[in-house]
Amino acid sequence: MGRSTGLAGPAEAASDTKAAPGAQAPAGGEGASGAQASSGGEAPSGADASSGTHAPSGTGAPTGGEAPSGAGASSGTQAPSGAGASSGAEAAEGVAVRVRDTLEGVFAAVAATRDAITALLASVADRDGSPVSADLAALRPGLHARLADHRLVSGIGFVAAPGLLADVPAWLEWWQRGPEGSVRPLLLDLDPEHSAYSDYTHWDWYALPRETGQRAVAGPYVDYLCSDEYSLTLSAPVTVEGRFVGVAAADVYLRHFEAAVMPVLQRLPGPARLVNARGRVAASTDPAHLAGSLTKGHDFAALLAGPPTRTRTDGLHLLPCAGIPLVLVTAAD
């Protein structure tokens, strides 16, 4: 998790970025997200604005695969009359399936972290009812194992709701994979007296799960504190007896996500982009809507809360991605 610079234009500062919070966090916080988009901000490495495609970074993605059969836009064959809309819908469904297949394993790791946290807090409540930061050390073996088991995951952990722990005002139990594969904690000063990042509750990776009770994808943003990499954060709310106590989350490098999904996006018949609940573009082949920019004028959160059906509005097709909180946006046929 980190502070974000917008990946696209100067007018679109990232609002869904991760900030580094406040009291001393022994392990794990996320890089400070939320940095203002720099004027004339550049697209991520590999983006080719002139061609409208964003080339995968070449560092092979942990997950990949072929585009769905029939999705190729450049086969050179003329579609039968009336078949264009059908083939376009099928190709879009293929992209939604690829996104699901790419990110569902990461969300499984987030869910396992959430379950471990709720079990831990329940055991502490049975003991004396007052969790402290040291209690969260019991999460570390599981966090380390998930980093080892899920190649897409670059960082994982628990971000406590302010006031949850008796000894500190805020806490991130966060672990990340080092450059040589080692597992290391992220240590942050979360003391509100000294840290500009002590309030992380307004960042989308925290706020969306708290507000909606649902899983969320935040970013992309530049993870300055963890890796200096463009990243996405996948998160889910943690509740105990109906009370929100924080979020379980995992980071994914944008280049790995793009390497998995860009091949199928590029085979669609026209420009396409994947956006999150806030309209932030996570991946794109559209030079007018680069990764990190905002797609405005649509309630993507409401769309994601409904059935995963393809809808047409304002000259666009919008398709929720098979249970993953991203929407595929394409031009209407």
Side-chain angles (χ1 to χ4, degrees):
M1 302 183 185
R3 177 184 284 265
S4 164
T5 69
L7 303 190
E12 322 219 63
S15 65
D16 59 350
T17 56
K18 266 193 229 173
Q24 182 68 25
E30 330 209 30
S33 104
Q36 228 29 30
S38 58
S39 176
E42 297 181 8
S45 172
D48 184 343
S50 64
S51 68
T53 61
H54 193 140
S57 91
T59 62
T63 63
E66 297 287 324
S69 174
S74 59
S75 65
T77 60
Q78 184 69 32
S81 176
S86 174
S87 62
E90 290 174 0
E93 291 288 351
V95 172
V97 169
R98 170 58 62 84
V99 173
R100 180 199 64 197
D101 292 347
T102 300
L103 294 184
E104 198 59 66
V106 179
F107 271 122
V110 170
T113 301
R114 176 200 61 205
D115 294 345
I117 296 161
T118 55
L120 173 63
L121 293 177
S123 68
V124 171
D126 290 341
R127 183 190 71 204
D128 59 19
S130 301
V132 295
S133 56
D135 291 322
L136 300 183
L139 299 173
R140 294 173 186 175
L143 296 176
H144 296 178
R146 282 169 217 123
L147 275 174
D149 293 343
H150 296 274
R151 294 181 59 205
L152 266 182
V153 176
S154 60
I156 192 166
F158 171 59
V159 184
L164 173 68
L165 304 175
D167 60 330
V168 290
W171 193 267
L172 286 85
E173 185 67 35
W174 195 262
W175 291 78
Q176 56 192 354
R177 185 180 291 110
E180 298 179 356
S182 59
V183 175
R184 62 188 183 187
L186 180 65
L187 305 178
L188 294 175
D189 177 9
L190 304 181
D191 186 342
E193 295 294 325
H194 308 105
S195 174
Y197 307 113
S198 58
D199 181 12
Y200 45 78
T201 60
H202 59 292
W203 304 116
D204 275 358
W205 49 265
Y206 186 96
L208 277 170
R210 180 191 59 195
E211 294 167 4
T212 67
Q214 303 297 320
R215 309 187 302 183
V217 175
Y221 60 91
V222 179
D223 192 347
Y224 286 126
L225 292 189
C226 293
S227 62
D228 290 332
E229 291 258 9
Y230 292 120
S231 299
L232 299 172
T233 297
L234 283 62
S235 57
V238 181
T239 59
V240 174
E241 297 181 349
R243 179 171 68 102
F244 176 81
V245 297
V247 300
D251 286 340
V252 173
Y253 291 152
L254 181 63
R255 57 187 167 89
H256 289 164
F257 176 64
E258 287 182 318
V261 302
M262 287 297 288
V264 288
L265 283 177
Q266 289 167 336
R267 295 183 188 184
L268 290 174
R273 58 195 184 274
L274 293 165
V275 306
N276 66 17
R278 300 287 200 216
R280 183 73 57 191
V281 178
S284 176
T285 62
D286 188 343
H289 299 276
L290 297 179
S293 65
L294 280 172
T295 297
K296 301 178 181 179
H298 302 279
D299 190 345
F300 293 108
L303 182 66
L304 288 166
T309 55
R310 191 177 189 227
T311 60
R312 179 171 177 159
T313 179
D314 296 334
L316 298 173
H317 278 137
L318 309 178
L319 176 65
C321 289
I324 296 295
L326 290 172
V327 176
L328 174 65
V329 180
T330 56
D333 299 329

